[in-house]
Amino acid sequence: MKGNLYQGKILLSKCPCWFVVRFAVKLLSAVQSLLTVKCRFSLRALPSVGSPEGARFHASARLFLSAMLLASAPALLSGCALTESGGRLALEELPGQGARLAGVFVTSKHIEPGPSELEFNSRGDIRIKDTGPEKIYGSFTGYDAGEPVVTFPGLEGYGIYSLTAPEDETHEATGARYMTTDFHFANVHYYVLDQEDSVEADLYITADSHVAYYFNPVYQQEDGQIYLLAGSGVTSQSFNDGQKFNHSISESTSRRSNGEELSRSQKFSVNIIASEAPQETELLLMDGENRLIKRYSEEQLAELTDAGASLTLPGEASYLILRQTKAGKEHGGRTLFDQDAEYVEYMAPAGNHILYYRQLPLIWP
């Protein structure tokens, strides 16, 4: 699958609209010169440039044209195509001292960068001021597995994190980093190597639909505050069952110890995987003679998992069968669970084209 990559900040030196702005500035200078020539030689109705009235007229005309360009610049810049970006970040590129890469927040909508600032100098010329990437600060919401770990105002998405989190009833504020994810992710793996800490997780989406996902780096400051920056993304008109797209964000830091430079990196990887959404789910309780004891519907299973309850099995239960049907497939998939299984896991829709795994703990007789 080929995806289209976007970057969350406009590089004006590479943006086609930058040439439009440059042209407009040159046009402003040309019109100003033309006003001077006409005032000097041809238009007797206009006051002379050397007179006080002419100076005021010339300044007013320049101010009017500059204001017109200032008003039109945001519209020009908003149409710029975004350029490709890499996934590795150098420490000196981070906006602000003491911030470290602490996660990635996946959104289905691109986060628009803040507007560029235009300034006038004493001669009325226009200069575009680089304000840097816009920080969007979030709030740590707790350790509840059913709620988002971090919320960002106005944004809907899903994150994986390595956070220095505040204490609560079950967690002490030791300064240690907690590796955690929102519940939408599956198959989460944590790796601690000699020179790299990494987190990798899968995010399942429904197949055969137009998709657009953006990977926004999350940072944590030394004072504990969390913010994100707009990141790059992938779009596809068709994401078929079984297709997979991987995106990684990493950061390397270095320090000197005993005259030796030591480096360490933090990496976050997200696999976007397409899957057919299940249409029907049921759990069958079977005895040792392969006879049906009880049947649990999808609604009954959802009630148990939403309540955080466990399924207590009857004494005659020998094994379980999880059956799920999917669109376009004549025979549904079946999964067997024997008495060594600690829980039943099955895929369910979470809304917004996201699929996730529900887990139901089992209590065997």
Side-chain angles (χ1 to χ4, degrees):
M1 182 197 71
K2 293 183 177 179
N4 300 320
L5 292 175
Y6 300 95
Q7 184 181 3
K9 65 178 181 179
I10 297 174
L11 300 181
L12 290 175
S13 61
K14 297 182 180 180
C15 176
C17 291
W18 172 239
F19 297 102
V20 178
V21 175
R22 291 182 60 188
F23 173 76
V25 173
K26 291 183 178 180
L27 178 62
L28 172 62
S29 300
V31 173
Q32 290 174 338
S33 300
L34 181 61
L35 283 173
T36 302
V37 172
K38 285 188 175 293
C39 288
R40 221 174 255 174
F41 299 108
S42 56
L43 296 182
R44 296 190 178 185
L46 296 176
S48 171
V49 178
S51 66
E53 294 81 2
R56 287 194 297 269
F57 172 80
H58 187 81
S60 299
R62 181 165 56 186
L63 179 61
F64 171 76
L65 292 172
S66 299
M68 292 296 292
L69 178 58
L70 179 61
S72 62
L76 292 171
L77 294 176
S78 64
C80 295
L82 302 179
T83 58
E84 181 178 348
S85 68
R88 179 168 291 274
L89 304 170
L91 184 60
E92 57 269 16
E93 296 173 352
L94 296 181
Q97 298 297 324
R100 63 173 182 85
L101 182 65
V104 57
F105 189 71
V106 182
T107 59
S108 58
K109 295 182 179 179
H110 178 246
I111 300 174
E112 296 296 335
S116 299
E117 293 184 5
L118 301 183
E119 296 181 335
F120 292 101
N121 61 18
S122 58
R123 297 175 298 178
D125 297 329
I126 296 177
R127 183 174 68 90
I128 296 180
K129 180 181 178 181
D130 183 12
T131 58
E134 182 181 8
K135 299 178 183 179
I136 301 177
Y137 281 87
S139 300
F140 179 79
T141 55
Y143 300 92
D144 188 351
E147 299 295 332
V149 177
V150 181
T151 57
F152 297 94
L155 298 180
E156 181 179 354
Y158 326 99
I160 59 177
Y161 308 99
S162 171
L163 297 174
T164 302
E167 66 178 333
D168 66 356
E169 294 80 3
T170 58
H171 298 78
E172 296 181 0
T174 61
R177 298 180 185 179
Y178 290 94
M179 300 287 189
T180 183
T181 72
D182 289 331
F183 72 90
H184 309 81
F185 290 92
N187 305 321
V188 182
H189 299 282
Y190 305 104
Y191 303 97
V192 180
L193 306 176
D194 291 339
Q195 295 182 334
E196 182 181 75
D197 297 333
S198 64
V199 186
E200 183 175 5
D202 298 336
L203 185 63
Y204 284 88
I205 65 173
T206 56
D208 298 326
S209 60
H210 170 76
V211 296
Y213 290 99
Y214 301 88
F215 307 89
N216 309 288
V218 177
Y219 299 93
Q220 187 170 33
Q221 300 174 172
E222 290 183 348
D223 60 4
Q225 292 191 80
I226 303 168
Y227 66 88
L228 64 74
L229 303 177
S232 59
V234 59
T235 64
S236 176
Q237 295 295 332
S238 178
F239 214 54
N240 298 323
D241 185 25
Q243 283 190 313
K244 175 180 176 180
F245 175 81
N246 172 270
H247 187 88
S248 298
I249 296 177
S250 63
E251 171 195 279
S252 295
T253 57
S254 59
R255 62 183 179 86
R256 297 193 67 84
S257 176
N258 298 325
E260 182 181 0
E261 185 170 345
L262 304 177
S263 62
R264 191 164 189 82
S265 62
Q266 176 73 66
K267 181 179 180 181
F268 298 91
S269 298
V270 176
N271 301 311
I272 303 291
I273 304 175
S275 177
E276 295 288 350
Q279 292 186 327
E280 182 181 354
T281 301
E282 63 177 359
L283 183 66
L284 309 178
L285 279 58
M286 311 297 292
D287 66 10
E289 301 296 328
N290 301 322
R291 293 174 300 193
L292 177 65
I293 302 173
K294 189 174 182 179
R295 185 192 310 266
Y296 283 86
S297 67
E298 182 176 1
E299 291 75 16
Q300 292 173 315
L301 294 174
E303 289 179 4
L304 291 171
T305 56
D306 290 342
S310 300
L311 177 59
T312 301
L313 301 169
E316 62 270 27
S318 178
Y319 64 97
L320 312 177
I321 299 176
L322 177 71
R323 189 178 69 87
Q324 285 192 304
T325 60
K326 296 184 177 181
K329 296 185 179 181
E330 183 177 353
H331 302 287
R334 294 173 179 263
T335 306
L336 298 179
F337 298 88
D338 59 21
Q339 295 187 4
D340 291 330
E342 297 180 354
Y343 56 84
V344 168
E345 185 177 64
Y346 64 97
M347 183 173 286
N352 198 24
H353 302 289
I354 298 295
L355 302 172
Y356 77 108
Y357 280 100
R358 288 179 175 267
Q359 285 189 349
L360 178 61
L362 301 175
I363 300 178
W364 293 92

